[in-house]
Amino acid sequence: MKSLNLTPQLYEYLQQVSLREPDILAQLRAETAQHPMAQMQIAPEQGQFMAFLVELIGAKKTLDIGVFTGYSALVVALALPSDGVVIACDTDGEVTQIASRYWEAAGVAAKIHLRIAPALETLDSLLMMGQRETFDFAFIDADKRNYLEYYERSLQLLRPGGLLVIDNVLWSGRVADPTDQDARTEAIRHFNEQLHGDERITLSVIPVADGLTLARKRDS
């Protein structure tokens, strides 16, 4: 729930001097904290950083792969211009009802197009509809064993210069523990190794929250 390698005192200070979280986002975090899978919630400083990146690149058309209670889609939608769009992908129609409620309350529901279906189906459908290289930004935070598949589809959908942000790539440090052979840990290790050698992107992995990969799609 918080960034790696920070003492509680320093983490609190970081939030005091940096975090500008709108009330609606704080309310969503508070409700999500009561959910049995609350650990899936992204950290608020991570959300703010994503919003910063969206503004920085002038994004209008974005992907959110893995919605949960909707914080990432909401923080991006708030940063988008009035004609901005978030295509939000999830398979859980129940938990995303929480998301929809907060999107409505924040006044950005019209920007967010929720697709309840396996994300790979949604991404393939977008490609078949001729939307290749039309997206500016994508966030991946879904099932870890499909990370490479999500990445490949998203890279096709992103325009040159578009930005991919991928969550949980440091996996609470487990990726650096050779004794951890869990399937999800192995999947993230393999994913990280593949991106490290991928010349189609400019790469940076940063220790924010549970580890974020930033991948900028290079011009052809």
Side-chain angles (χ1 to χ4, degrees):
M1 293 293 288
K2 63 186 181 70
S3 293
L4 299 173
N5 303 321
L6 293 176
T7 64
Q9 182 180 28
L10 185 55
Y11 181 64
E12 182 179 355
Y13 176 78
L14 179 151
Q15 291 194 320
Q16 287 173 357
V17 299
S18 173
L19 193 60
R20 297 176 175 179
E21 186 179 39
D23 287 344
I24 191 68
L25 286 170
Q27 292 166 21
L28 175 52
R29 277 202 303 119
E31 179 168 341
T32 303
Q34 308 306 311
H35 193 277
M37 300 297 291
Q39 72 275 9
M40 293 171 58
Q41 171 73 68
I42 68 170
E45 68 274 13
Q46 175 183 334
Q48 181 167 297
F49 180 55
M50 288 165 53
F52 180 90
L53 293 172
V54 164
E55 290 190 21
L56 187 66
I57 67 171
K60 286 190 175 182
K61 190 174 180 182
T62 73
L63 284 167
D64 186 76
I65 303 171
V67 174
F68 189 42
T69 59
Y71 192 101
S72 57
L74 178 53
V75 77
V76 167
L78 289 169
L80 290 174
S82 59
D83 59 345
V85 172
V86 181
I87 304 296
C89 307
D90 207 289
T91 58
D92 191 332
E94 182 176 348
V95 75
T96 53
Q97 290 179 12
I98 300 172
S100 296
R101 179 157 42 86
Y102 279 89
W103 299 341
E104 288 283 354
V108 297
K111 294 182 182 180
I112 304 172
H113 302 171
L114 178 61
R115 309 286 181 86
I116 299 297
L120 291 177
E121 290 183 10
T122 298
L123 298 174
D124 285 339
S125 175
L126 291 170
L127 288 166
M128 290 177 63
M129 292 167 58
Q131 298 198 42
R132 186 182 303 268
E133 295 195 342
T134 65
F135 285 80
D136 305 300
F137 177 89
F139 177 56
I140 300 175
D141 184 19
D143 53 303
K144 310 314 172 191
R145 282 174 279 194
N146 275 320
Y147 259 28
L148 265 179
E149 299 295 334
Y150 298 143
Y151 167 77
E152 289 294 343
R153 265 63 159 204
S154 297
L155 201 60
Q156 292 178 61
L157 289 163
L158 280 182
R159 62 168 172 83
L163 184 63
L164 260 169
V165 176
I166 304 104
D167 200 14
N168 302 121
V169 296
L170 296 182
W171 203 229
S172 299
R174 295 195 292 275
V175 286
D177 179 1
T179 67
D180 191 327
Q181 302 297 314
D182 177 79
R184 291 177 300 171
T185 304
E186 291 282 17
I188 296 172
R189 281 196 195 106
H190 179 61
F191 176 78
N192 290 340
E193 290 164 3
Q194 291 296 113
L195 266 64
H196 185 238
D198 192 341
E199 295 299 326
R200 298 172 295 174
I201 60 170
T202 302
L203 176 70
S204 181
V205 179
I206 58 175
V208 171
D210 196 27
L212 283 180
T213 288
L214 309 182
R216 179 187 179 272
K217 183 175 178 178
R218 290 176 169 168
D219 297 339
S220 299

